[in-house]
Amino acid sequence: MAGTDQLSAVFSALADPTRRAIVAELAERDATVTELTAPLSISMPAVSRHLKVLERAALISRSRSGKWRASHLEAAPLREAADWIERYRRFWDSSLTRLDAHLAAVQAARPATDRMADDPRELE
């Protein structure tokens, strides 16, 4: 499992909508800076800066040979982030289920006159 620093880097990199768009493009195919520039409508230097952030977060790898370096999406960091999110989704689902049960018990234990004051329809 990735360390906290690695997950922080992944979430930080994905916080930017342009970088998410780049990741979406790279999920379809490997691409060069030139190929990524057109659909994003930003400059090549801007795309390069975003790619550096994604590379530092280990979300992409870039070929080291040739004039046109293709970028490749790396699945492992995304999988780690998705697993982390799923663990916390289950935690919050469980916590909210317990909260719902507690609130229902509190509501049931209150006298009927108190419950009527909370619902204005009951006063009509």
Side-chain angles (χ1 to χ4, degrees):
M1 169 128 157
T4 305
D5 290 342
Q6 179 62 36
L7 278 174
S8 294
V10 168
F11 286 123
S12 178
L14 294 174
D16 183 275
T18 301
R19 288 192 287 270
R20 288 194 307 271
I22 291 171
V23 167
E25 285 289 323
L26 293 175
E28 299 295 321
R29 62 185 166 79
D30 291 358
T32 64
V33 172
T34 304
E35 294 168 329
L36 291 169
T37 299
L40 296 174
S41 299
I42 61 175
S43 70
M44 289 175 68
V47 169
S48 292
R49 285 190 296 274
H50 286 296
L51 289 174
K52 286 178 184 175
V53 172
L54 292 170
E55 192 172 22
R56 280 194 300 270
L59 286 164
I60 67 166
S61 58
R62 298 173 77 187
S63 65
R64 299 288 176 210
S65 62
K67 183 177 178 183
W68 306 109
R69 295 175 54 196
S71 296
H72 171 78
L73 185 64
E74 296 294 335
L78 291 171
R79 195 174 307 112
E80 299 266 348
D83 291 347
W84 185 89
I85 290 169
E86 178 59 22
R87 280 194 309 280
Y88 280 91
R89 187 198 60 76
R90 286 193 310 264
F91 167 77
W92 286 111
D93 282 350
S94 172
S95 297
L96 292 173
T97 299
R98 288 193 313 271
L99 179 59
D100 285 344
H102 174 72
L103 291 174
V106 168
Q107 287 280 332
R110 289 176 56 197
T113 54
D114 287 350
R115 287 194 305 269
M116 286 182 2
D118 289 343
D119 188 353
R121 293 173 295 178
E122 297 288 327
L123 298 175
E124 295 175 350

